[in-house]
Amino acid sequence: MESFRKIYSSEFHKKFLAHNVRPDGRSLDDARNTKISVNSFGSSNGSAFVRIGNTHGSQKLGGGGGDGTSVTCAIVAEVGPPTDATPNGQIIVNVEMTPICSSRFRTGKPTEEAQALGHWLNELVRSPHHLSLEDMKVKMTRHEAVEDDEEEDSLPGMVWYLYADVYCINHDGSIGDAALIALFSAIQNVRLPQLVVTKENQMIAMPIDASSGRINILHHLVPTTFAIIDEQVLVDPSAEEEELSSGLLTIVTRSDGSLVTIRKSGGTSLDDEKLKQCMKTAAERCKTVEKEIKSQR
């Protein structure tokens, strides 16, 4: 069975798809479970780990195959002056895909997939419609030793720059889904220290506590990826299914149920009826994943 799967991968999957089932036992419209844990990196200002599917091995109808997708995101905050382009600071996302997550990747230069995913994540996270960018402005106070009549506006105007490193640990499809969920989960749990300015205008970061600053997320973004194989649409495809597909479609919805964006690759298009069904499925999954995200606050 495993030899047939490797040599005749397309025929192997088509035998299952003909019965509206997949080799891992899921139906075509069944997404894998999404699990989230946060603050697993003590040296960061905020972090998250996301697992889609079973990354510890699973029993599949056809044997073999991947074991789920897992991604981490760690955010480090740095203080800097605002610029014309970044008056409220900025979130800078970097994506790493190495041989650890898949044998398809090599060490060295970032892969095209990693660069494209990083560009997409940066576009989404920098939109003023999803995050409260005002929270990126540094809140500073004068040290008690400073004279009371010191002018308050002498405090230097500074902003936060958040560097988000997204690492793919295991790649078994829907990597963009896991990456975006991990990014927003990490942002949700970022803690920004209060800064105290001394008489010599030196900034001292206070310890992180309950009063530390947070970034308000206006709308959580939840992506759902679909693969198109011989006019059949598969929700949350595995890596094998993505490779066999003629097109991939990622629909991003937000917590109020509205559509944010659609990301498409490949030349195959969907008719209006199938696209509407995909959007409905994405909206339903958004509610489930959002509950998991909010439970990690």
Side-chain angles (χ1 to χ4, degrees):
M1 178 72 76
E2 182 62 20
S3 297
F4 179 78
R5 179 176 193 151
K6 290 182 177 179
I7 299 173
Y8 303 103
S9 181
S10 178
E11 289 79 2
F12 175 86
H13 279 78
K14 286 179 180 179
K15 286 181 179 292
F16 285 91
L17 296 180
H19 299 281
N20 293 321
V21 70
R22 298 192 247 180
D24 60 6
R26 290 185 290 153
S27 61
L28 304 189
D29 59 356
D30 186 16
R32 294 167 290 185
N33 290 332
T34 299
K35 295 297 181 182
I36 305 169
S37 59
V38 297
N39 295 332
S40 51
F41 299 95
S43 59
S44 66
N45 292 83
S47 61
F49 171 82
V50 171
R51 182 178 74 244
I52 296 179
N54 178 17
T55 57
H56 302 291
S58 57
Q59 184 66 39
K60 300 176 177 61
L61 297 180
D67 294 318
T69 291
S70 56
V71 168
T72 65
C73 177
I75 298 177
V76 175
E78 294 184 5
V79 176
T83 67
D84 292 340
T86 59
N88 296 313
Q90 192 174 48
I91 300 177
I92 300 96
V93 183
N94 177 62
V95 177
E96 294 285 345
M97 294 183 186
T98 68
I100 293 177
C101 70
S102 173
S103 58
R104 295 192 291 117
F105 305 122
R106 298 289 181 266
T107 56
K109 183 180 179 181
T111 65
E112 291 185 7
E113 184 175 353
Q115 292 184 59
L117 178 55
H119 178 73
W120 184 62
L121 293 176
N122 275 300
E123 282 188 335
L124 289 174
V125 81
R126 293 175 186 176
S127 169
H129 303 296
H130 312 316
L131 303 174
S132 175
L133 300 182
E134 287 294 319
D135 295 333
M136 300 280 286
K137 293 182 178 179
V138 175
K139 297 176 177 60
M140 292 185 286
T141 58
R142 283 288 181 183
H143 192 274
E144 294 178 358
V146 178
E147 296 294 335
D148 292 337
D149 59 355
E150 186 85 32
E151 292 185 9
E152 194 68 21
D153 59 8
S154 64
L155 291 175
M158 305 292 275
V159 294
W160 289 107
Y161 290 89
L162 306 185
Y163 295 88
D165 288 318
V166 177
Y167 291 93
C168 177
I169 298 175
N170 200 69
H171 190 337
D172 187 27
S174 299
I175 189 67
D177 296 5
L180 183 56
I181 294 170
L183 176 59
F184 268 75
S185 297
I187 293 172
Q188 174 181 265
N189 287 276
V190 162
R191 299 296 181 271
L192 300 172
Q194 182 181 6
L195 299 183
V196 174
V197 181
T198 67
K199 193 171 184 178
E200 293 77 23
N201 273 345
Q202 293 181 334
M203 288 183 292
I204 301 175
M206 303 302 290
I208 297 292
D209 57 24
S211 64
S212 298
R214 305 179 68 166
I215 298 175
N216 183 35
I217 296 180
L218 305 178
H219 297 283
H220 284 281
L221 305 188
V222 177
T224 302
T225 294
F226 303 83
I228 306 168
I229 302 179
D230 292 340
E231 298 187 355
Q232 289 181 295
V233 181
L234 285 64
V235 179
D236 180 24
S238 67
E240 282 184 305
E241 292 166 345
E242 288 185 350
E243 291 178 5
L244 294 172
S245 71
S246 56
L248 294 174
L249 187 74
T250 299
I251 298 176
V252 181
T253 56
R254 64 186 194 182
S255 49
D256 62 0
S258 61
L259 174 67
V260 176
T261 186
I262 296 178
R263 184 187 186 208
K264 185 178 180 297
S265 62
T268 303
S269 59
L270 293 176
D271 58 43
D272 291 345
E273 191 61 34
K274 287 183 178 179
L275 182 58
K276 288 180 181 178
Q277 182 57 46
C278 288
M279 293 176 66
K280 180 180 178 181
T281 300
E284 291 173 350
R285 182 169 183 248
C286 180
K287 297 176 183 178
T288 302
V289 175
E290 186 190 8
K291 289 181 181 178
E292 178 70 16
I293 294 173
K294 290 184 175 180
S295 71
Q296 299 298 320
R297 285 180 175 175

